[in-house]
Each structure stands twice: as C-alpha cells, then as structure tokens.
C-alpha cells in the first residue's frame, strides 16, 4: 500500500516528543479494554506516544508491543517503559494473527482518509481470531488541520463504519462518544470504536 502518513503531522510529533511526554493522556476507555482481554494477553499499541498507556498495560501484566511512527516518541516511550518501544508507521504493520488486542488511542485520526481502510485491514490481519481492537478519533464531516498544522481525518460515525466494513468482518462493533481537550487545548468530540475480529 502507499504511505499512509501525513508529513507535517509526523514532523510535529518528532519535534514535540519531549513536551508530549510531560502530558498524561486521557484514557478512561483503557480499563474496559484490558478487562475484555485474556490475562497476560499480547497487545499491540499503535501510536503509543510517550508510552503512558503501555506503562499501565505492563503494570497490569500484559505482554505489550509498544510502537510509534516517530522515532523521538518511541525513544520517550522506551525511557518510560525501561524496554524498547519500536518505530513503526501504521502502513508498515504486516503481522498476521499475532495479537489478542490492538490499542490505537488518538492516533489513527491522523491517517489520510484514502488510506484508513487499508490501515484498518492491516490491523484486522494482525489480530488473532477473537482479538479486540480499540481506536479513537476526533469526529467531524471532512478532513482538515488543527491550529498546530496536524492533519485529521475527522470522520462521521457513518463514514467510519464504512471504512471498518471495508477492512474485514467484525463482531460487536460499538461506537461511543465523549467530549475532551487534546494537546491543542481545543474542545473536541471523540468517537471511541471497539470491534472484535470474529473467532475462528
Ligand atoms: N496514543 C498516545 C497518547 O494517547 O498519548 C499518542 C497520541 S498522539 C495524539 C498521536 C501519535 O500518533 C503520535 O505519537 C504520533 O507520532 C503517532 N503517529 C502519527 N502518525 C503516525 C503514523 N502514520 N504511524 C505511526 N504513528 C503515527
């Protein structure tokens, strides 16, 4: 597949990794995700940022593969975790039936619209049968940039459901909404999507 990242967005994270590391992300949905995971299960984290969520997963006894497309961010996460986090761009994921869960908090929202279906397909393939996938997005109607020049796909729920449907069969696909502030301190509306790959 073609490259599924936005240059200006990645540059932003590469240049602001240290500042990002000082900010604890929201993550009210993490406990529920972990509660639905087999004990000690293998979790792939995409766009792990400075590793706050991976740290909580490790503390809860999970086997975590923490990854981020920014080498500087992966270095911040490695420092926090005391073990290597990998540099991985979403479109480079080529695992097959390797993970019990994939956690992608506030990161796939940066995938260019045309590329999102392909990235979701790679995530579907990376999950074991019965595996659980969580991702969050900032909702909207059309792609755009925030005041920090970061690209967002800003999906509606219907548009997002169509991209998931393209990527493969899912069971129990749910979309929940919340309001919150991101790094830019602007109030935004979030979509939280949980989906399970059908059991074999
Ligand atoms: N999940 C972390 C959190 O909640 O703190 C970080 C979220 S931050 C808003 C988005 C992250 O996605 C950044 O760490 C950035 O480097 C990463 N990212 C952006 N585009 C990416 C891509 N194409 N492939 C992999 N990671 C990417």
């Amino acid at each position: 597949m073609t490259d599924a990242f936005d240059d200006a967005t990645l540059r932003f994270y590469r240049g602001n990794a240290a500042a990002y590391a000082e900010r604890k992300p929201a993550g009210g949905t993490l406990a529920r995700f972990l509660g639905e995971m087999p004990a000690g299960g293998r979790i792939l984290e995409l766009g792990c940022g400075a590793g706050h969520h991976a740290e909580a997963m490790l503390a809860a006894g999970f086997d975590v593969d923490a990854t981020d497309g920014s080498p500087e961010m992966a270095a911040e996460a490695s420092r926090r975790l005391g073990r290597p986090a990998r540099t991985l761009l979403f479109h480079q994921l080529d695992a097959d039936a390797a993970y019990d869960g994939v956690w992608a908090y506030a990161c796939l929202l940066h995938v260019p619209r045309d590329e999102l279906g392909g990235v979701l397909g790679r995530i579907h393939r990376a999950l074991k049968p019965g595996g659980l996938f969580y991702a969050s997005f900032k909702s909207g109607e059309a792609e755009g940039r925030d005041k920090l020049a970061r690209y967002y796909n800003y999906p509606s729920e219907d548009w997002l459901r169509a991209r998931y449907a393209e990527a493969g069969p899912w069971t129990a696909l749910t979309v929940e909404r919340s309001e919150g502030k991101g790094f830019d301190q602007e109030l935004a509306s979030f979509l939280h999507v949980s989906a399970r790959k059908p059991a074999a």
Side-chain angles (χ1 to χ4, degrees), residues 10-33:
L10 216 53
R11 261 201 315 276
F12 171 86
Y13 287 111
R14 296 196 65 174
N16 289 278
Y20 216 89
E22 284 170 19
R23 177 181 169 277
K24 195 169 164 50
T29 43
L30 180 60
R32 200 202 301 174
F33 174 83

Side-chain angles (χ1 to χ4, degrees), residues 134-177:
Y134 166 90
S136 55
F137 298 84
K138 284 186 181 176
S139 73
E141 293 298 333
E143 63 188 348
R145 291 186 187 272
D146 68 2
K147 65 184 182 191
L148 301 172
R150 294 178 296 180
Y151 169 93
Y152 285 86
N153 43 38
Y154 291 132
S156 66
E157 180 174 339
D158 285 350
W159 186 89
L160 204 47
R161 282 182 178 276
R163 300 292 80 72
Y164 272 71
E166 275 169 20
W170 305 95
T171 57
L173 191 151
T174 62
V175 180
E176 292 178 17
R177 290 165 185 275

Side-chain angles (χ1 to χ4, degrees), residues 21-175:
E22 284 170 19
R23 177 181 169 277
K24 195 169 164 50
T29 43
L30 180 60
R32 200 202 301 174
F33 174 83
L34 295 181
E36 293 177 21
M37 201 57 46
R42 180 137 175 87
I43 300 175
L44 169 66
E45 182 172 15
L46 295 171
C48 71
H52 293 89
H53 289 159
E55 186 178 36
M57 293 176 201
L58 287 167
F62 292 95
D63 176 13
V64 184
D65 184 7
T67 69
D68 196 279
S70 155
E72 292 78 2
M73 218 42 121
E76 289 291 347
S78 301
R79 260 193 292 282
R80 178 176 307 279
L81 303 176
R83 52 141 86 186
R86 295 193 290 140
T87 300
L88 181 83
L89 290 161
F90 305 135
H91 67 275
Q92 295 170 332
L93 175 63
D94 64 359
D96 194 345
Y99 299 99
D100 298 293
V102 175
W103 176 256
Y105 193 91
C107 58
L108 299 181
L109 37 61
H110 294 310
V111 177
R113 279 193 163 223
D114 290 351
E115 308 295 342
L116 187 62
V119 168
L120 294 175
R122 284 173 180 268
I123 291 168
H124 189 277
R125 194 179 69 193
L127 284 167
K128 296 178 187 173
L132 184 62
F133 169 40
Y134 166 90
S136 55
F137 298 84
K138 284 186 181 176
S139 73
E141 293 298 333
E143 63 188 348
R145 291 186 187 272
D146 68 2
K147 65 184 182 191
L148 301 172
R150 294 178 296 180
Y151 169 93
Y152 285 86
N153 43 38
Y154 291 132
S156 66
E157 180 174 339
D158 285 350
W159 186 89
L160 204 47
R161 282 182 178 276
R163 300 292 80 72
Y164 272 71
E166 275 169 20
W170 305 95
T171 57
L173 191 151
T174 62
V175 180

